[in-house]
């Protein structure tokens, strides 16, 4: 049992955390760009979108190349780009230099995420590794949200936090393989399995992620301008919300596949739509905190099942990277979409539009989960049940 517990791929989980931190810090990053530089809210949202689009481009470019180039090499390249890009953007003051640094750092984040997703997909239980990774990034982002308001004004603090995280993860890359597959070979050119399910999931995830990050990208502005809260209060709400997300991920990891994957993905998406509506219409601390905390509790739960579902479609991790990169396209468009909708129609109308879109997207996502989950669930269930029992025994 102890041997089974020790098989968690900690270097990959740390790399996952470093890669996912930028999207998790999006509200404070965009808000600080708005207040710390000569940018409008829409322009700051566009910078956030460009950062995430660069991250998505890295995922698409590297989806089938991680094995051939080598996980260790690519991880170090990604972390180096993240340190130089985000670190340079944090120290720079000209807008063009900040944007250039954000683009370089975003490509580094996407490279790190691609390596992590490929490696996690090859694990016996990718869902468990994913939930641990989400725990790490949620905890770290919560600490940053509590700390940044006390470090003074300026755009650099959240960007510096991402750069320092990438630097801290670097030593763990020595435990990653140099290359896991010969190049080129018949195996590296094998067709993608479950093509229809993978394509449908990849087609729906951009819309799902766009709705999430359209809200997340403007959540700071909702708290500051519509709910009339201070930056410290908004940061505290985000930290509590991410803490609630930790509890949600722990619950998802313990529950595993007992409810299947269709109910957590489809039902969870419907509940997220309601949370977005509540948060976008918030006018005081109670409604703002309730919406953000409920949304942050549900979002990582559904995301963990979606990532696990994508990983189960191909043990080599290609669908995990492709679906994750497709999701990043929606993530990238989110800040700009949220800013444009809010500026044209207001935050409440923005929330209504996003919620309606999520309800439509829930249908094909649930269909994929029903079909693919029926094929992959029995193998995963034995592993998850054993690991949950191991945790309970250790406690």
């Amino acid at each position: 049992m102890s041997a089974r517990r020790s098989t968690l791929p900690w270097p990959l989980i740390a790399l996952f955390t470093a890669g996912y931190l930028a999207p998790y810090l999006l509200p404070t990053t965009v808000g600080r760009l708005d207040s710390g530089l000569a940018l409008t809210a829409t322009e700051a949202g566009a910078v956030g979108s460009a950062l995430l689009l660069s991250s998505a481009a890295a995922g698409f470019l590297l989806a089938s190349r991680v094995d051939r180039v080598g996980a260790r090499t690519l991880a170090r390249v990604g972390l180096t780009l993240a340190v130089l890009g985000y670190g340079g953007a944090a120290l720079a003051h000209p807008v063009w230099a900040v944007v250039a640094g954000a683009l370089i750092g975003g490509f580094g984040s996407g490279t790190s995420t691609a390596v992590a997703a490929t490696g996690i997909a090859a694990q016996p239980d990718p869902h468990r590794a994913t939930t641990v990774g989400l725990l790490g990034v949620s905890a770290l982002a919560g600490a940053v949200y509590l700390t940044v308001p006390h470090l003074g004004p300026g755009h650099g603090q959240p960007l510096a936090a991402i750069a320092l995280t990438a630097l801290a993860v670097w030593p763990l890359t020595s435990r990653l393989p140099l290359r896991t597959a010969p190049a080129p070979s018949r195996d590296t050119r094998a067709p993608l399995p479950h093509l229809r399910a993978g394509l449908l999931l990849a087609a729906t995830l951009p819309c799902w992620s766009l709705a999430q990050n359209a809200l997340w990208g403007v959540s700071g502005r909702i708290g500051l301008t519509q709910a009339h809260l201070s930056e410290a209060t908004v940061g505290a709400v985000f930290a509590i919300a991410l803490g609630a997300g930790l509890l949600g991920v722990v619950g998802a990891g313990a529950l595993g596949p007992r409810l299947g994957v269709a109910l957590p993905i489809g039902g969870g998406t419907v509940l997220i739509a309601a949370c977005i509506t509540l948060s976008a219409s918030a006018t005081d601390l109670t409604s703002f905190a309730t919406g953000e905390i409920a949304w942050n509790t549900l979002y990582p739960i559904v995301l963990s099942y979606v990532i696990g579902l994508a990983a189960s479609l191909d043990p080599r991790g290609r669908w995990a990277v492709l679906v994750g990169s497709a999701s990043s396209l929606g993530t990238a468009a989110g800040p700009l979409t949220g800013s444009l909708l809010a500026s044209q129609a207001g935050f409440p109308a923005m929330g209504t539009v996003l919620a309606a879109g999520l309800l439509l997207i829930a249908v094909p996502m649930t269909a994929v989960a029903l079909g693919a989950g029926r094929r992959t669930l029995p193998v995963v269930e034995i592993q998850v049940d054993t690991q949950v029992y191991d945790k309970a025994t250790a406690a």
Side-chain angles (χ1 to χ4, degrees), residues 60-342:
F60 281 117
L61 180 65
L62 301 172
S64 61
R65 293 177 170 85
V66 174
D67 290 343
R68 283 179 284 172
V69 177
R72 186 188 304 176
T73 300
L74 275 182
R76 288 179 172 176
V77 169
L79 293 174
T80 299
L81 291 176
V83 171
L84 296 178
Y86 293 125
L91 296 174
H93 292 285
V95 173
W96 69 266
V98 174
V99 173
L103 291 174
I104 294 171
F107 197 89
S109 291
T111 301
S112 300
T113 302
V115 176
T118 300
I120 288 173
Q123 298 300 308
D125 185 0
H127 181 261
R128 183 185 180 220
T130 299
T131 56
V132 175
L134 290 172
L135 284 173
V137 71
S138 296
L140 182 57
V144 173
Y145 277 116
L146 287 175
T147 304
V148 163
H150 304 289
L151 299 179
H155 71 282
Q157 291 88 338
L159 294 169
I162 306 171
L164 291 174
T165 300
L167 186 63
V169 170
W170 173 275
L172 295 177
T173 59
S174 62
R175 296 168 58 185
L176 296 174
L178 285 172
R179 181 182 290 175
T180 57
S185 69
R186 183 178 61 183
D187 180 64
T188 60
R189 297 182 180 181
L192 285 167
H194 308 306
L195 186 60
R196 284 188 296 179
L199 287 176
L200 185 55
L201 193 61
T204 54
L205 256 291
C207 302
W208 188 85
S209 295
L210 184 147
Q212 314 293 328
N213 287 278
L215 173 70
W216 191 232
V218 300
S219 286
R221 288 167 51 202
I222 293 174
L224 293 172
T225 63
Q226 184 171 276
H228 307 293
L229 306 175
S230 67
E231 184 185 17
T233 301
V234 170
V237 169
F238 287 158
I240 294 171
L242 290 171
L246 290 175
L247 297 177
V249 173
V250 169
L255 185 64
R258 289 179 177 83
L259 297 178
V261 289
L263 181 59
I265 290 175
T269 298
V270 172
L271 293 176
I272 285 173
C275 295
I276 287 178
T277 302
L278 174 61
S279 184
S281 60
T283 56
D284 54 26
L285 176 59
T286 300
S287 55
F288 179 73
T290 301
E292 290 293 327
I293 291 171
W295 176 71
N296 275 280
T297 301
L298 293 167
Y299 169 74
I301 294 175
V302 179
L303 180 62
S304 71
Y305 279 95
V306 170
I307 295 175
L309 174 60
S312 71
L313 294 176
D314 177 21
R316 287 184 53 205
R318 290 170 294 176
W319 276 127
V321 177
L322 288 172
V323 169
S325 298
S327 175
S328 295
L329 291 178
T331 300
L336 182 58
T337 301
S339 296
L340 289 174
L341 284 174

